Amino acid sequence: MKIALLALVVTGGLGFAAWQPADRSTKKPHTAGASTYRDRFAQTQTNLTATGASSCASSMCHGGATPRPGEVFLGIEYDLWYDRGQGTHFRAYKVLYEDERSDRMAKLLFGPNAVAKDQAACRTCHAFDVEPRRHGRAFDIEDGVSCEACHGRSEKWNGPHQNPRVWRKELTDDQRTEQGFYDTRNLVRRAEQCLACHLGVGDKSFGHRMLAAGHPPLTFELAGDLFNVPKHWRDEQSYISPDEGSWFHVRVWAVGQAVTLREEMRKLASWAASDADVDYAVFECYACHHDLTVPSWRQRREVVGKLGEPVWNAATWAMCGVLLDLLTSEQRDEIRKQVDRIGRSLNIRSADRAAVRSAAESVASLASVLAERASQTRFDRAATFRMIRSLTRDRERIAQLGYRAGVQTFSALYALYRLGIAESGSVPDNHTAILGALGNLRDLLYDAQRNERAGDYDALALAKILAELERLLAGV
Ligand code: HEC
Ligand code: HEC
Ligand code: HEC
Ligand code: HEC
């Protein structure tokens, strides 16, 4: 696989500002198949009671009417999450019986009598599906993805966390975790928590069967999506230094991409270790699903993998390409080599499972290192522009990876430009033209109702818009 954008790495690096971890070359990658923070956290949850969202909603705590000035937390978290009954996570369970697609999916997947809201396979992501004997008095499944689905069952930490001195000063992160509290402040762990449901990891399984039944594809980008949780906290609490400002979102984007790659690789490795059939969802969807058009851009591209075979969906990897400078040169060579091995070994008919497994485990370990590095890196304006430019420069390859890579590129540019550069308060003179090009990119990928326009995806059109962006950015 040709990774053109990595050329810049050799020529002096991206020049990330200020802070760089001191132990760059000494830290060993995690051992293959190592468990994550979330795995460790999951063990604390058994035997704990979930208190329920409304128990958090007292006006003294998280159910206040106006944000509290000068506090670590806002005090109005409940209202923001509930959003007058329209909050996306609050509504997640209701989708299972109010949206007609849900029962249709359930019937296709589980038989003619199946009802979506009763299926563990749906509730695992669309609700906080706690075993009934662990329901506290205020627990209600109708609350969907409620506070404790992200923050952990609160039986043990509910008391201590009401005393700021004990909670913030006396208890360590590890002690809070032991009490069943999930550390969402740490960006790597935060990404891990979202991706459990937004990618479908571990017991929250999600694959092509689910898509074939009509489930919308899961697309996730941490920086942009955190705004729509909706955001009920102060980002400053997670800044690397007090003046990090909008570069924080760039860091969040970077961590999100690296953790997504790691989680995709863990899924792939665990498939390769099983004897299950290959899940079509690991391939680029439109390798199989596109219309036969004449002329076709596909006949003008470079061959990736074997001609006429579905190829691995490398969208996340393509985005991580602009971050590889955070690794040592040996780690970079290694991750590229292993990714290449996945591309060659993951074949729809005769995948070399042993090769896929060991390659995916290696990539997962290195992605884990990448995520940690990214989470400790102070990005700045120059580094952000350089990352945007490497995406636009690599346009041919990215566009040819297919529609899903197009979507990831759009959300990357959105996070880097719109949340990073534009929010920094200083925009280039041709800011409006740049936003115009981003708008064209959005319109190529989505219709006016924001539905995906995947069927008529055109790689040449995508590359053309990225070329226009490159031109606009040339002088800034
Ligand atoms: C791995 C976690 C996961 C599983 C399992 C899962 N979903 Fe979802 N579902 C999601 C996420 C995340 C979204 C939001 C997708 C987006 O917009 O990015 C979603 C969206 C939906 C939507 C669209 C909702 C809307 O507002 O447009 C429906 C309907 C739905 N799911 C039904 C189901 C049903 C029925 C099942 C079981 C057969 C199921 N889901 C299983 C995570 C999951
Ligand atoms: C989808 C996951 C999710 C859900 C659901 C959720 N939160 Fe959060 N919450 C987060 C994330 C992510 C943060 C930001 C990281 C942080 O500050 O810990 C956060 C931050 C907070 C904070 C600030 C903590 C601090 O130390 O800065 C409070 C308080 C909070 N949430 C309360 C709630 C309450 C109350 C609910 C339910 C009404 C809730 N959250 C629902 C993910 C979630
Ligand atoms: C327990 C599973 C679960 C967790 C954990 C979770 N989500 Fe969700 N999320 C869902 C489901 C299910 C939906 C779809 C709900 C609907 O359509 O009503 C959803 C919807 C969303 C949406 C709106 C749909 C979209 O993609 O635009 C955003 C944004 C979102 N989640 C962000 C996050 C973020 C950020 C985190 C981590 C801090 C997170 N979620 C953690 C299950 C989860
Ligand atoms: C290896 C080929 C292949 C790949 C790759 C693939 N699919 Fe499919 N898909 C199929 C086949 C075969 C069917 C069943 C066709 C039918 O029911 O007519 C199907 C059915 C579907 C359906 C239901 C039929 C329809 O038209 O609505 C959806 C939706 C779907 N796939 C989505 C996806 C998505 C999203 C991806 C990528 C994440 C994907 N597929 C990747 C081969 C593939």
Side-chain angles (χ1 to χ4, degrees):
M1 202 174 292
K2 199 172 117 232
I3 315 286
L5 82 160
L6 299 174
L8 90 157
V9 157
V10 186
T11 61
L14 290 170
F16 295 115
W19 206 90
Q20 285 286 6
D23 62 340
R24 290 198 96 193
S25 53
T26 49
K27 193 168 168 190
K28 286 209 186 72
H30 298 197
T31 51
S35 63
T36 62
Y37 171 80
R38 200 175 175 282
D39 297 335
R40 187 155 61 87
F41 161 82
Q43 288 169 9
T44 69
Q45 298 294 287
T46 47
N47 306 329
L48 284 181
T49 295
T51 315
S54 52
S55 72
C56 314
S58 118
S59 61
M60 298 298 294
C61 304
H62 304 298
T66 49
R68 295 164 179 238
E71 271 277 17
V72 168
F73 66 103
L74 291 165
I76 56 166
E77 293 81 5
Y78 187 90
D79 273 7
L80 290 172
W81 163 82
Y82 180 68
D83 193 16
R84 293 189 218 119
Q86 297 307 310
T88 186
H89 285 131
F90 168 70
R91 287 195 43 79
Y93 180 72
K94 298 190 168 24
V95 159
L96 294 184
Y97 57 88
E98 287 180 359
D99 190 314
E100 55 168 17
R101 288 173 293 178
S102 291
D103 281 342
R104 201 177 61 211
M105 277 181 232
K107 285 182 174 50
L108 286 170
L109 289 162
F110 309 112
N113 300 322
V115 177
K117 74 177 180 54
D118 297 334
Q119 293 298 326
C122 308
R123 290 159 64 116
T124 182
C125 295
H126 282 264
F128 190 36
D129 199 14
V130 172
E131 51 296 8
R133 63 198 175 93
R134 300 294 173 201
H135 289 185
R137 253 180 297 140
F139 184 91
D140 190 349
I141 189 91
E142 293 286 340
D143 287 338
V145 179
S146 49
C147 320
E148 290 164 289
C150 290
H151 293 295
R153 302 185 188 193
S154 74
E155 179 183 346
K156 278 200 199 152
W157 58 262
N158 198 353
H161 100 293
Q162 294 181 31
N163 181 336
R165 188 180 45 78
V166 173
W167 189 244
R168 295 272 171 229
K169 303 230 159 75
E170 290 176 14
L171 294 174
T172 62
D173 284 346
D174 281 349
Q175 285 168 326
R176 287 193 288 257
T177 303
E178 277 158 30
Q179 296 184 1
F181 181 77
Y182 194 96
D183 177 11
T184 46
R185 220 183 247 191
N186 175 305
L187 295 182
V188 175
R189 296 170 177 183
R190 186 185 301 184
E192 224 165 88
Q193 181 72 307
C194 310
L195 285 165
C197 296
H198 282 269
L199 179 65
V201 180
D203 59 334
K204 300 183 191 301
S205 111
F206 194 92
H208 187 255
R209 263 170 62 76
M210 200 72 102
L211 294 163
H215 197 285
L218 301 182
T219 42
F220 188 73
E221 190 285 294
L222 187 62
D225 281 345
L226 279 171
F227 280 87
N228 300 323
V229 163
K231 193 151 128 190
H232 56 266
W233 57 87
R234 303 184 205 269
D235 280 343
E236 304 88 273
Q237 300 298 336
S238 308
Y239 281 4
I240 224 169
S241 60
D243 62 343
E244 189 177 14
S246 69
W247 311 121
F248 172 70
H249 304 301
V250 174
R251 183 157 64 95
V252 172
W253 172 79
V255 172
Q257 293 305 308
V259 179
T260 307
L261 181 64
R262 188 191 74 191
E263 295 300 304
E264 285 178 352
M265 289 299 111
R266 292 197 329 134
K267 272 183 90 159
L268 193 59
S270 81
W271 161 74
S274 77
D275 56 7
D277 290 340
V278 65
D279 182 12
Y280 288 180
V282 305
F283 299 107
E284 210 288 304
C285 314
Y286 306 97
C288 298
H289 286 289
H290 65 83
D291 284 341
L292 300 177
T293 57
V294 183
S296 160
W297 62 265
R298 289 164 210 272
Q299 289 162 11
R300 294 169 60 179
R301 71 185 158 173
E302 279 174 48
V303 178
V304 188
K306 278 193 196 156
L307 185 61
E309 294 278 345
V311 290
W312 172 52
N313 172 8
T316 312
W317 162 247
M319 300 301 110
C320 286
V322 305
L323 294 167
L324 294 190
D325 191 35
L326 295 172
L327 297 177
T328 64
S329 65
E330 302 88 70
Q331 289 169 332
R332 277 199 297 273
D333 291 346
E334 185 62 16
I335 198 169
R336 280 182 221 155
K337 194 175 103 194
Q338 297 299 342
V339 161
D340 194 51
R341 226 168 124 217
I342 292 173
R344 280 183 285 109
S345 314
L346 187 62
N347 182 293
I348 191 161
R349 270 169 284 157
S350 54
D352 178 346
R353 287 185 194 234
V356 171
R357 182 179 175 183
S358 89
E361 283 175 352
S362 304
V363 178
S365 314
L366 287 159
S368 191
V369 175
L370 186 61
E372 290 299 338
R373 294 262 189 267
S375 78
Q376 294 162 3
T377 298
R378 174 73 201 264
F379 293 88
D380 66 4
R381 190 182 171 78
T384 306
F385 268 127
R386 261 180 240 125
M387 291 195 286
I388 295 176
R389 286 201 191 94
S390 23
L391 285 173
T392 58
R393 192 177 318 143
D394 200 29
R395 58 186 170 268
E396 297 291 336
R397 190 182 65 89
I398 290 177
Q400 290 178 5
L401 289 176
Y403 178 80
R404 303 241 67 87
V407 167
Q408 284 304 318
T409 307
F410 174 68
S411 47
L413 291 169
Y414 183 87
L416 297 173
Y417 189 81
R418 187 66 199 78
L419 303 178
I421 304 281
E423 294 294 318
S424 75
S426 152
V427 295
D429 293 340
N430 57 0
H431 174 62
T432 318
I434 294 172
L435 287 186
L438 286 179
N440 292 340
L441 189 52
R442 184 199 52 221
D443 295 343
L444 181 77
L445 299 164
Y446 301 97
D447 68 14
Q449 283 77 46
R450 294 265 184 168
N451 295 314
E452 297 196 340
R453 280 181 50 188
D456 49 3
Y457 173 72
D458 180 346
L460 300 178
L462 183 94
K464 212 168 136 198
I465 297 173
L466 294 178
E468 167 69 359
L469 258 173
E470 180 171 67
R471 194 185 60 75
L472 290 168
L473 291 166
V476 304

